[in-house]
Amino acid sequence: MISNSVKDSFGRVASKYDENADIQKHSLSALINFFFSKIKIKDDEEFNGLEIGCGTGEFSKHLINRINFQSLSLLDISKNMLEIAQKKNGKEFVNLVESDFDDFKDYSKFNIIFSNMSIHWSKDFKKLVLKILNSVKKNGIIVLSYVNSSSFKYFNNLNTFNHNLLNTFPKHKDFLNLIDRKRFKYFQKEITIKKLYDRPLDFFIDLKSYGANFKLNSNEVGKLFMLRKIKKQIDINFNISCYSLRKIDL
């Protein structure tokens, strides 16, 4: 059910995603800078790459001219997103994989796996992370970011708000705690991106514009009406966990 909801929610907004997903763009910029400042790539290194939850393929677009890809797979649950990603990254070595990343079984084929603001949608975050960590090849690279549980403090501190309307996110150190220190050289940081909204209800309207409101089914939307009474501007924090890893042993 979660997979279908995510697929439908993001699929509906695919054509407008790049226009509306400004938080994801800021996160991606920070993640790319963090990655290249921490992980050194040799000129003669060749990569078979996988972008997890690629969306419109923006991450791949930024890496495709900076990394020597022999192959690059763009994986997403939404066919509509993949079609846009293909247009951005229409190289002969690029292929599309329409799949839920929780169900994907071929992580071991890749020596660079990357993802921006995606894996927090997993049905089982720990299981997915361990699958990626255990599968990536020796000397392989993992670069990713996810929204963590420190986000959206305004709503967490609002006593009259039904907190079940917000998705549950992993903690910043949930990924860190799964890393085998003997097998990986790793770097991690947390960044905070803030966005100003004219009123609390606008936050949820914004989520809908780029598909991140899948938890709000028709029976739950009515519970947001109480927010209409609040007219003041609010500053919402998006706390993003960023990780860059290089596998150093089998």
Side-chain angles (χ1 to χ4, degrees):
M1 288 296 294
I2 293 177
S3 297
N4 290 335
S5 297
V6 172
K7 180 179 180 178
D8 293 343
S9 189
F10 284 104
R12 282 194 296 268
V13 302
S15 63
K16 296 287 186 180
Y17 183 84
D18 286 340
E19 178 183 334
N20 295 320
D22 54 322
I23 297 296
Q24 286 78 359
K25 290 177 184 176
H26 288 302
S27 171
L28 178 58
S29 178
L31 180 59
I32 290 174
N33 290 335
F34 177 61
F35 165 37
F36 284 106
S37 70
K38 298 299 184 182
I39 304 293
K40 304 306 177 185
I41 297 176
K42 298 177 182 178
D43 292 339
D44 61 350
E45 280 192 274
E46 297 179 345
F47 290 97
N48 295 311
L50 173 68
E51 182 177 0
I52 304 173
C54 71
T56 63
E58 193 69 12
F59 203 163
S60 289
K61 177 184 174 182
H62 283 272
L63 293 187
I64 210 164
N65 293 321
R66 302 183 67 174
I67 289 179
N68 183 15
F69 286 112
Q70 299 303 294
S71 69
L72 175 57
S73 296
L74 308 182
L75 184 153
D76 201 272
I77 198 171
S78 167
K79 181 180 179 180
N80 294 344
M81 288 287 196
L82 286 171
E83 289 175 351
I84 298 173
Q86 175 67 47
K87 293 177 182 178
K88 287 186 184 180
N89 302 282
K91 306 289 186 180
E92 60 182 13
F93 56 83
V94 174
N95 64 88
L96 307 182
V97 183
E98 185 179 349
S99 175
D100 181 344
F101 49 57
D102 283 317
D103 299 329
F104 187 67
K105 301 183 185 302
D106 293 328
Y107 288 107
S108 61
K109 294 182 178 180
F110 306 97
N111 61 346
I112 182 168
I113 298 173
F114 54 99
S115 177
N116 178 51
M117 299 274 284
S118 179
I119 65 170
H120 52 267
W121 299 119
S122 172
K123 297 186 291 290
D124 190 330
F125 181 83
K126 180 178 179 179
K127 182 179 179 180
L128 174 64
V129 170
L130 288 174
K131 186 190 299 186
I132 295 169
L133 292 172
N134 291 331
S135 297
V136 69
K137 294 178 179 294
K138 184 178 180 180
N139 294 321
I141 294 170
I142 300 170
V143 185
L144 54 83
S145 66
Y146 59 88
V147 181
N148 70 46
S149 60
S150 297
S151 301
F152 316 143
K153 290 181 180 178
Y154 172 83
F155 293 103
N156 291 330
N157 296 328
L158 192 63
N159 293 331
T160 57
F161 179 70
N162 181 353
H163 297 94
N164 290 327
L165 295 177
L166 289 173
N167 295 298
T168 302
F169 298 111
K171 296 178 182 179
H172 172 58
K173 291 189 176 181
D174 281 353
F175 191 100
L176 180 66
N177 292 335
L178 297 173
I179 298 172
D180 184 341
R181 273 61 166 179
K182 295 180 180 179
R183 302 175 70 192
F184 287 93
K185 181 179 181 181
Y186 65 92
F187 305 91
Q188 55 88 19
K189 68 180 294 186
E190 181 182 29
I191 63 172
T192 300
I193 303 170
K194 292 187 177 182
K195 187 168 182 179
L196 184 67
Y197 294 93
D198 288 334
R199 54 180 183 157
L201 190 60
D202 288 343
F203 165 74
F204 289 93
I205 294 172
D206 189 35
L207 292 183
K208 185 177 181 180
S209 74
Y210 54 85
N213 67 320
F214 79 90
K215 191 171 182 179
L216 294 176
N217 60 42
S218 58
N219 294 326
E220 293 175 320
V221 171
K223 299 176 183 179
L224 293 175
F225 287 167
M226 56 82 59
L227 295 177
R228 289 183 174 180
K229 300 176 182 179
I230 307 175
K231 304 295 184 181
K232 66 177 182 179
Q233 287 188 332
I234 61 168
D235 217 4
I236 297 296
N237 67 300
F238 294 77
N239 281 43
I240 315 297
S241 297
C242 300
Y243 285 86
S244 293
L245 305 91
R246 170 82 83 164
K247 196 168 192 177
I248 56 178
D249 197 1
L250 293 178

